Amino acid sequence: MSTTTLTGSAGAPGAGAPDATAADVERAVAAAVEAGRRWAATPAPERRDVLRRAAHGLQARREELVGLVTAETGSIRAKAEAEVADSIEELHAAAALALHPTAQVLPSAVPGRSNVVERVPVGVVGVITGWNFPMHLALRIAAPALALGNAVLVKPAPETPLSGGAGWADALTAAGLPDGLLGVLPGRAAGPALVEHADVDLIHFTGSTAVGREIARIAGGALKRVALELGGNNPAVVLADADLERTVPLTAGGTFVHQGQVCIATGRHIVVADVAEDYLARLAEHARGLRVGDPAIDPTVDLGPLISERQAERAQRLVADTVAQGAELLTGGTREGRYFPATVVAGVRPGMPLFEEETFAPVAAVTVAADTDEAVALANATEYGLSASVFTRDLERGRAVASRLRAGMVHVNDMTALNETHVPFGGVGASGVGQRFGGAANVELLTEQRWVSVRRL
């Protein structure tokens, strides 16, 4: 048995698998529809066992997978190790999800009638992923979708065809996944083809808000279900009573993780004036201590390269344009090819590029607020609403401020860049549309409700 997967030999990042053609997509969808019917009828314990074996298979290849992630994404080893570990955990969690209750009995006003509301698989799930956490972005949807009886077609980002799917899909095949049930379709053309295909029942997309809007437009015309996990310009709100010695490593970590190329990275640091001077000094010192380099040559570096020259150019332009409008560059800001240092910019105000745009680079934009009320207003002054943080010694105060922030996820005294497999994940506004995923929320996302009534005559 084999998955419907187009694979090539490992090599240069972005060049490890051939692009899928329109004919490839058509064949993969047809195979997924047929395999999905049989898989949906497979007893849940059998689906669970396949996913458990797949998790063990990936664990046995852990070092190889870490290498794939590092090579294609430019991440430091610690990030790659964490991503592979999280991906394996997704399979374990999905195995447990296979036995989740999927029906309830509701009373009827008619004597002799029983009402059962059951959850049935959506059908064929198209998973379109980004390049920053390619393995995890794919498996966090593919694994629970398979557990709940769906077929899955993965379209990895062009930059990461191997770590995004082609490099690990065969582990699920070896675990006993039926032929055709999981397809990996690299290349740019496969995404639009999946969105437009009448037999793909749900599209889950992780990526930019601009592309998400286009997917929503096309899918809406076809009345196709979509779930969009999009960008963020996430704030960390630092109140006057925050413990800066403990706060700065967390806010810095939220900004500089994977070179800032994370949708839940901290882009904006909103700091109450009473502690702003001390905070800026500590943050700049922290940033200057982070080493930039090639993780393949020096595994001890703190930041690797950005995904492309274009991304590095954009980051430098955003910093320069913001400084030109009156902000102050405290450290960093100048690239060397794809390498961009940890950067801190002070005096950032609404209307400046670093305040308004998702940077997707290791840039901390610091805005000073007069008090807590202004800090909340500044944090909410964005079209995005993915993740936010609040830092304070007073936990009740932290919860109160958290309740005022417009975001799908809010963390008190922790990074914006948090994820736990069993916790629902998602944003509001320009950061997301559709059902959350993660834990029990996967049941809502990846199944449909069906009412079955039975009446004695």
Coordinates of all heavy atoms in Angstrom, one line a residue, residues 250-286:
L250 N 10.8 36.4 28.1 CA 9.5 35.9 27.5 C 9.1 36.7 26.3 O 8.7 36.1 25.3 CB 8.4 35.8 28.6 CG 8.7 34.7 29.7 CD1 7.7 34.9 30.8 CD2 8.6 33.3 29.1
T251 N 9.1 38.0 26.5 CA 8.6 38.8 25.3 C 9.7 38.8 24.2 O 9.3 38.7 23.0 CB 8.4 40.3 25.8 OG1 9.6 40.8 26.3 CG2 7.3 40.4 26.7
A252 N 11.0 38.7 24.6 CA 12.0 38.6 23.5 C 11.9 37.2 22.9 O 12.0 37.1 21.6 CB 13.4 38.7 24.2
G253 N 11.6 36.2 23.6 CA 11.5 34.8 23.0 C 10.3 34.8 22.1 O 10.3 34.2 21.0
G254 N 9.2 35.5 22.5 CA 8.0 35.5 21.6 C 8.3 36.2 20.3 O 7.7 35.9 19.3
T255 N 9.2 37.2 20.3 CA 9.6 37.9 19.1 C 10.6 37.2 18.2 O 10.4 37.2 17.0 CB 10.1 39.3 19.4 OG1 9.0 40.1 20.0 CG2 10.6 40.1 18.2
F256 N 11.6 36.7 18.8 CA 12.7 36.2 18.1 C 12.7 34.7 17.8 O 13.5 34.1 17.0 CB 14.0 36.5 18.8 CG 14.2 38.0 19.1 CD1 14.5 38.4 20.3 CD2 14.0 38.9 18.1 CE1 14.7 39.8 20.6 CE2 14.1 40.2 18.3 CZ 14.5 40.7 19.6
V257 N 11.6 33.9 18.3 CA 11.5 32.5 18.0 C 11.4 32.3 16.5 O 10.7 33.0 15.7 CB 10.3 31.9 18.7 CG1 9.0 32.6 18.3 CG2 10.2 30.4 18.4
H258 N 12.2 31.4 16.0 CA 12.3 31.0 14.5 C 12.4 32.3 13.7 O 11.7 32.5 12.7 CB 11.1 30.2 14.1 CG 11.3 29.6 12.7 ND1 12.5 29.2 12.2 CD2 10.3 29.4 11.7 CE1 12.3 28.8 11.0 NE2 11.0 28.9 10.7
Q259 N 13.3 33.2 14.1 CA 13.5 34.5 13.4 C 12.3 35.3 13.2 O 12.1 36.1 12.3 CB 14.2 34.2 12.0 CG 15.5 33.6 12.0 CD 15.5 32.1 12.2 OE1 15.7 31.6 13.3 NE2 15.3 31.3 11.2
G260 N 11.3 35.1 14.1 CA 10.1 35.9 14.1 C 9.1 35.4 13.0 O 8.1 36.0 12.9
Q261 N 9.4 34.3 12.4 CA 8.6 33.8 11.3 C 7.5 32.9 11.8 O 7.4 31.7 11.4 CB 9.5 33.1 10.3 CG 10.5 34.0 9.6 CD 11.5 33.3 8.8 OE1 11.6 33.5 7.6 NE2 12.2 32.3 9.4
V262 N 6.7 33.4 12.7 CA 5.6 32.6 13.4 C 4.4 33.5 13.4 O 4.5 34.7 13.9 CB 6.1 32.2 14.8 CG1 5.1 31.2 15.4 CG2 7.5 31.6 14.7
C263 N 3.2 33.0 13.1 CA 2.0 33.8 13.1 C 1.7 34.3 14.5 O 1.1 35.4 14.6 CB 0.8 33.0 12.5 SG 0.4 31.5 13.5
I264 N 2.1 33.6 15.5 CA 1.8 34.0 16.9 C 3.0 34.6 17.6 O 3.0 34.8 18.8 CB 1.3 32.8 17.8 CG1 2.3 31.6 17.6 CG2 -0.1 32.4 17.4 CD1 1.9 30.4 18.4
A265 N 4.0 35.1 16.8 CA 5.2 35.8 17.3 C 4.7 37.2 17.9 O 3.7 37.7 17.4 CB 6.2 36.0 16.3
T266 N 5.4 37.7 18.8 CA 5.2 39.0 19.4 C 5.7 40.1 18.4 O 7.0 40.2 18.3 CB 5.8 39.2 20.8 OG1 5.3 38.1 21.6 CG2 5.4 40.5 21.4
G267 N 4.9 40.8 17.8 CA 5.3 41.9 16.9 C 5.4 43.2 17.6 O 6.3 44.0 17.4
R268 N 4.4 43.5 18.5 CA 4.3 44.8 19.1 C 4.5 44.6 20.6 O 3.7 43.9 21.2 CB 3.0 45.5 18.8 CG 2.8 45.7 17.3 CD 1.4 46.3 17.0 NE 0.4 45.4 17.3 CZ -0.8 45.7 17.9 NH1 -1.0 47.0 18.2 NH2 -1.7 44.8 18.2
H269 N 5.4 45.4 21.2 CA 5.6 45.5 22.6 C 4.9 46.8 23.1 O 5.4 47.9 22.8 CB 7.0 45.4 23.0 CG 7.7 44.2 22.5 ND1 8.5 43.4 23.4 CD2 7.8 43.6 21.3 CE1 9.0 42.4 22.7 NE2 8.6 42.5 21.4
I270 N 3.8 46.7 23.9 CA 3.1 47.8 24.4 C 3.5 48.0 25.8 O 3.1 47.1 26.7 CB 1.6 47.7 24.2 CG1 1.2 47.2 22.8 CG2 0.9 49.0 24.5 CD1 1.6 48.1 21.7
V271 N 4.3 49.0 26.2 CA 4.8 49.1 27.5 C 4.4 50.3 28.2 O 4.5 51.4 27.6 CB 6.4 49.1 27.4 CG1 7.0 49.0 28.8 CG2 6.9 47.9 26.6
V272 N 3.9 50.2 29.4 CA 3.4 51.4 30.2 C 4.6 52.2 30.5 O 5.7 51.7 30.9 CB 2.7 50.9 31.5 CG1 2.4 52.1 32.4 CG2 1.4 50.2 31.1
A273 N 4.5 53.5 30.5 CA 5.6 54.5 30.5 C 6.4 54.3 31.8 O 7.7 54.6 31.7 CB 5.0 55.9 30.4
D274 N 5.8 54.0 32.9 CA 6.6 53.9 34.2 C 7.8 53.0 34.1 O 8.8 53.2 34.8 CB 5.6 53.4 35.3 CG 4.5 54.4 35.6 OD1 4.5 55.5 35.0 OD2 3.7 54.1 36.5
V275 N 7.7 51.9 33.2 CA 8.8 51.0 33.2 C 9.4 50.9 31.8 O 10.3 50.1 31.5 CB 8.3 49.6 33.6 CG1 7.9 49.5 35.0 CG2 7.2 49.1 32.7
A276 N 9.1 51.8 30.9 CA 9.5 51.8 29.5 C 11.0 51.9 29.3 O 11.6 51.1 28.6 CB 8.8 52.9 28.7
E277 N 11.7 52.8 30.1 CA 13.1 53.0 29.9 C 13.9 51.8 30.3 O 14.8 51.3 29.6 CB 13.6 54.2 30.7 CG 15.0 54.5 30.5 CD 15.5 55.8 31.3 OE1 14.6 56.5 31.9 OE2 16.7 56.1 31.3
D278 N 13.5 51.2 31.4 CA 14.2 50.0 31.9 C 13.9 48.8 31.0 O 14.8 48.0 30.6 CB 13.7 49.7 33.3 CG 14.5 48.6 34.0 OD1 15.5 48.1 33.4 OD2 14.1 48.2 35.1
Y279 N 12.7 48.7 30.5 CA 12.3 47.6 29.6 C 13.1 47.7 28.3 O 13.6 46.7 27.9 CB 10.8 47.7 29.3 CG 10.3 46.6 28.4 CD1 9.9 45.4 29.0 CD2 10.2 46.8 27.0 CE1 9.5 44.3 28.1 CE2 9.8 45.7 26.2 CZ 9.4 44.5 26.8 OH 9.0 43.5 26.0
L280 N 13.2 48.9 27.7 CA 13.9 49.0 26.5 C 15.4 48.7 26.6 O 16.0 48.0 25.8 CB 13.8 50.4 25.9 CG 12.4 50.8 25.2 CD1 12.3 52.3 25.1 CD2 12.4 50.1 23.9
A281 N 16.0 49.1 27.7 CA 17.4 48.8 27.9 C 17.6 47.2 28.1 O 18.5 46.7 27.5 CB 17.9 49.5 29.2
R282 N 16.7 46.6 28.8 CA 16.9 45.1 29.0 C 16.6 44.4 27.7 O 17.3 43.4 27.3 CB 15.9 44.6 30.0 CG 16.2 45.1 31.4 CD 15.1 44.7 32.4 NE 15.3 45.1 33.8 CZ 15.8 44.4 34.7 NH1 16.2 43.1 34.4 NH2 16.0 44.8 35.9
L283 N 15.6 44.8 26.9 CA 15.2 44.1 25.7 C 16.4 44.3 24.6 O 16.7 43.3 23.9 CB 13.9 44.7 25.1 CG 13.4 44.1 23.8 CD1 13.1 42.6 24.0 CD2 12.1 44.8 23.3
A284 N 16.9 45.5 24.5 CA 18.0 45.7 23.6 C 19.2 44.9 23.9 O 19.9 44.3 23.1 CB 18.3 47.2 23.5
E285 N 19.5 44.8 25.2 CA 20.7 44.0 25.7 C 20.4 42.6 25.4 O 21.4 41.9 24.9 CB 20.8 44.2 27.2 CG 22.0 43.4 27.8 CD 22.2 43.6 29.3 OE1 21.2 44.1 29.9 OE2 23.2 43.2 29.8
H286 N 19.2 42.1 25.6 CA 18.9 40.7 25.2 C 19.1 40.4 23.8 O 19.7 39.4 23.4 CB 17.5 40.4 25.7 CG 17.1 39.0 25.5 ND1 17.0 38.1 26.5 CD2 16.8 38.3 24.3 CE1 16.7 36.9 26.0 NE2 16.5 37.0 24.7

